[in-house]
Amino acid sequence: MRSRVLAAYCILIYLFLAAPIIIVVGASFNAGNFLTFPPQGLSLRWYVVFFHNDVFMRAIRTSLWVAAVTTCVSLVVGTMAALFYVQHAGRWKETVRVAMLAPLLLPEVLTAIALLFFVYAIGIGTRSMFGMVVGHVLMTLPFVFINVAASLESFDPDWDMAARSLGAGRWTRFRRIMLPLIKPGVIGGALFAFIISFDMFTISFLLKGIGTSTLPIQLFDYLRTNFTPEAAAVSTLSVLLTLGVVIVSDKVLGLKLHRF
Amino acid sequence: MTVVRIESLSKVYGAVRAVDRISVEIGDGEFISLLGPSGCGKTTTLKMIAGFEEASEGAIRFDGADVVRVPAEKRDIGMVFQNYALFPHMTVDQNLAFGLEMRRVPRAEMRSRIDRVLEMVQLSGFSGRYPSQLSGGQQQRVALARALVIEPRILLLDEPLANLDAKLREEMRVFIRDLQRRVGITTVYVTHDQAEAMTMSDRVVVMFGGRIAQVGAPADIYERPQNLDVARFVGQVNLVSGTVASADDGTLAIDTAFGRAAAPARDGLHPGQAVTLSLRPEAIGLGAPGKAGAPGRVEARYYSGSLIDYRVALDGGETLHVQSFPTVAFAEGDRVSVHAPADRLWLIGAAQ
Ligand SMILES: Nc1ncnc2c1ncn2[C@@H]1O[C@H](COP(=O)(O)OP(=O)(O)OP(=O)(O)O)[C@@H](O)[C@H]1O
Ligand SMILES: [Mg+2]
């Protein structure tokens, strides 16, 4: 009896949390002129409008590009940091960990403002997207770090020694032994980095290049003056895109755990 | 093949001398064990031979050439780890192929070498399995095969049987020993199990606190231990007290409860001095009371099938551990006479 009540609670809470997404997706198929739920008639007209909206299309390209660059940089830097942390940090381990996770602990706005001052102080400013990408890397680094470090903790140093005794050099050992065995952590970290960068608002808002805009910011801009179902269509597509990235990387890169 | 010479090799960690100026020569095709209690520096020594740890001082020579500066991946060694360290994302075949790929062995030769080694370790049907699909003993044999398939100069094993159950461990001892004989590879085997070291090795290196206490054939180590630590570590031992009766012609005569024993003269031992001798439990015989020997009483008796262990209290006050075949059996409380052949009484040194 009690477990049933508990289950009912869980379902209710879950529905409450998922409701906004369901409503947005539902509203995106609106045939009417306003963002309402339930939708007034079903149609794909707002999707058509979106795909013909140059501003949104440019924003989505920018977002994808920034997320891709961020993921690559974050992955390389985060993996190297995790390697150092697990294998060489010694008594500095705790310090390194706190330093790596610091971006999670500080309010995002503060980080953004500090970065803004910084990019202007070193003369780069916000003419290019450099500042924004740096900000994104900073915010996604902890996720790559945590995921890769967790996989590395279960990497037995004897595997590396065994490979060495068999004659494998440093790079071969990394490519053939370590990378395949920490793959779940690396892919997990990359997914987090991509999704978080794609959805990032505050950092992008302050550091975006002049005249460029990412999807979340464009959407925010749009909603300040308009209230059409196009916004819902944009959101729905962005959810689908994120989901697509997860599924594709799962299928192509094989997020499945190894046969342990 | 390969002769390994270790010359006053040391490893220093901060203030700790984990390995302290050890020297030993390992002959071509010889099976040598490093035996000692936990923390005595066995693994450290092995890792220096393998190249995973850098030597602080001294030299390691393979056929005369010092390899201290040669990185592990270039030393051409085969290594077997305690937890096997098989690559979990590779099949048995791929695990074995890895070392051959590093040596750029052609495909066809690779296949035949892998098949031959798999047959040697009796795992011919298992080439497509992943390590997680194998039992501990099978994983152990794959690890052995992976180390041997590259035909290394030296085979190094660090407590390879420690994770197996008792029965399998005894089977694997014989298996590894036979395989090593057949292949004829110079082998260094690390263990803290004295029985393992004794049954498998040509020679045993006994280590304490980073130093070599004694090097010798298993029988040497067992019957002629150089000091009390070795005597105690290698098998069970009774300590018997004696008194030096005379010292003539380089020979000491020593009086004990079991009669007079002889030993080569040693510096600092003179007539009248109290000394300690070792006596192995199975060297002691028990007889009916009144026969020749020291009188005593059976305090306890432990039956283990092939042998019986007794605890015997001598009337003189000493307590002895005696091991004998079940053909002559005494009960607890029986009076007995205890005798031991003089040549099994081995002089350890002056009494402490
Ligand atoms: N990286 C290290 N830093 C500091 N001290 C170390 C290090 N590695 C080993 N030691 C010390 O060196 C000594 C020898 O260690 P080693 O691992 O060789 O012992 P062992 O004989 O293999 O013991 P066991 O039977 O427990 O494996 C120990 O006292 C150990 O604490
Ligand atoms: Mg060890």
Side-chain angles (χ1 to χ4, degrees), chain B residues 15-238:
Chain B
V16 185
R17 287 187 87 88
V19 174
D20 195 5
R21 284 160 292 175
I22 65 168
S23 299
V24 63
E25 180 164 317
I26 306 159
D28 177 19
E30 189 176 22
F31 192 121
I32 211 163
S33 289
L34 303 182
L35 174 68
S38 185
C40 73
K42 308 181 292 287
T43 298
T44 309
T45 305
L46 201 72
K47 283 187 172 169
M48 284 193 284
I49 300 175
F52 299 133
E53 291 280 1
E54 209 179 318
S56 307
E57 300 154 18
I60 302 165
R61 296 184 191 284
F62 292 179
D63 286 334
D66 189 358
V67 295
V68 164
R69 300 261 157 261
V70 179
E73 54 268 35
K74 301 245 164 67
R75 283 195 194 183
D76 202 12
I77 44 139
M79 178 119 184
V80 178
F81 297 81
Q82 179 172 342
N83 59 1
Y84 322 133
L86 296 175
F87 307 130
H89 60 306
M90 297 185 186
T91 60
V92 170
D93 249 356
Q94 290 165 336
N95 265 281
L96 297 203
F98 188 82
L100 298 175
E101 283 165 30
M102 297 302 121
R103 286 165 171 70
R104 308 198 189 292
V105 173
R107 284 265 153 217
E109 187 190 337
M110 212 182 234
R111 187 70 260 158
S112 68
R113 274 168 78 167
I114 292 175
D115 287 343
R116 202 171 60 228
V117 172
L118 277 181
E119 196 179 303
M120 261 200 290
V121 298
Q122 297 162 18
L123 284 175
S124 289
F126 293 79
S127 53
R129 298 255 195 120
Y130 283 90
S132 60
Q133 299 167 321
L134 298 172
S135 74
Q138 290 165 342
Q139 289 183 38
Q140 170 68 73
R141 282 181 282 156
V142 175
L144 204 57
R146 184 178 67 179
L148 287 176
V149 75
I150 57 172
E151 292 170 10
R153 306 178 72 175
I154 302 160
L155 180 63
L156 304 175
L157 305 100
D158 192 355
E159 312 222 11
L161 307 184
N163 289 345
L164 301 178
D165 62 56
K167 183 132 178 56
L168 196 54
R169 196 151 59 216
E170 281 183 23
E171 282 170 27
M172 284 303 291
R173 272 183 206 166
V174 179
F175 184 85
I176 293 179
R177 178 54 172 154
D178 288 351
L179 192 60
Q180 188 269 343
R181 281 260 168 78
R182 212 152 14 118
V183 178
I185 187 173
T186 310
T187 302
V188 183
Y189 187 99
V190 162
T191 179
H192 62 249
D193 181 334
Q194 55 94 15
E196 214 168 280
M198 305 280 258
T199 44
M200 298 175 79
S201 324
D202 294 317
R203 281 190 304 153
V204 179
V205 176
V206 186
M207 292 179 71
F208 287 102
R211 300 201 185 174
I212 293 182
Q214 188 171 354
V215 182
D220 266 345
I221 304 271
Y222 189 71
E223 283 168 26
R224 292 175 284 283
Q226 240 152 49
N227 61 40
L228 200 54
D229 285 337
V230 177
R232 283 216 173 105
F233 194 75
V234 182
Q236 289 171 317
V237 71
N238 292 296

Side-chain angles (χ1 to χ4, degrees), chain A residues 87-119:
Chain A
Q87 298 188 338
H88 304 288
R91 63 202 178 93
W92 296 107
K93 226 175 156 179
E94 201 47 37
T95 317
V96 171
R97 198 171 67 91
V98 172
M100 286 304 299
L101 300 187
L104 291 183
L105 309 177
L106 295 175
E108 210 174 314
V109 193
L110 272 188
T111 313
I113 293 172
L115 264 174
L116 192 61
F117 276 120
F118 175 71
V119 290

Side-chain angles (χ1 to χ4, degrees), chain A residues 154-166:
Chain A
S154 58
F155 180 87
D156 184 347
D158 282 356
W159 287 329
D160 193 60
M161 274 197 254
R164 265 188 97 179
S165 75
L166 294 169

Side-chain angles (χ1 to χ4, degrees), chain B residues 244-253 265 269-271:
Chain B
V244 179
S246 68
D248 308 314
D249 308 332
T251 308
L252 297 174
L269 293 186
H270 45 77

